[in-house]
Amino acid sequence: MSKQIIAYGALVERSIDGGTTFEKIPECKGIAIPMVETDYQDVTSLDSPGGFREYLEGLKDAGVLSLPCGYTSAGYAQQTADKALGVPVKYRTTLKPAVDQTTGDIFEFSAFPTPQVEGGDLGAPVGMNVSLRTTGDVSWEAGTPKA
């Protein structure tokens, strides 16, 4: 039996007090989990063995995420207020538990939010995308396994 999960049932929250209290982001339609990439610096020299390029591990970056949401006035107000703070906001994504877990995995990171209202076609729901420019480290905590 597969132990994979679907995104439905996950929780995406944000904290403006450094992670003491978290509040749900309304109408999320996706999850926010950064992908950490590492830059590699070319350190090849005239005496590199066999003429192969050599690299040195450089800085890491978790990039920019796109968090899809349904537009609500409350959600837009929340995100524009967060953007106006001018400091990173802490985000937490809690996945629903897999079949062999009692609690789901948790990802935490900080980012600068930019809300973007997406106009829908006639009769379609109005959406909102929150662009999250990550800053700093990303943490991951595995869910609790079932006994």
Side-chain angles (χ1 to χ4, degrees), residues 28-114:
C28 275
K29 294 178 177 264
I31 56 177
I33 300 175
M35 181 183 85
V36 178
E37 294 183 353
T38 303
D39 289 333
Y40 292 92
Q41 302 300 316
D42 189 339
V43 293
T44 308
S45 66
L46 295 174
D47 55 356
S48 291
F52 284 92
R53 291 193 178 277
E54 295 181 283
Y55 292 90
L56 177 66
E57 191 173 90
L59 297 175
K60 297 174 186 168
D61 184 9
V64 178
L65 301 175
S66 179
L67 181 62
C69 301
Y71 173 83
T72 65
S73 182
Y76 187 74
Q78 178 191 74
Q79 293 303 309
T80 55
D82 287 357
K83 179 174 178 50
L85 293 172
V87 296
V89 173
K90 190 161 202 80
Y91 291 87
R92 177 170 70 189
T93 298
T94 305
L95 300 178
K96 73 180 200 173
V99 296
D100 61 345
Q101 293 178 315
T102 56
T103 62
D105 293 3
I106 300 171
F107 297 83
E108 287 190 15
F109 61 95
S110 295
F112 294 95
T114 302

Side-chain angles (χ1 to χ4, degrees), residues 3 11 31 56 88 114 130-131:
K3 295 179 184 173
L11 177 62
I31 56 177
L56 177 66
T114 302
V130 183
S131 177

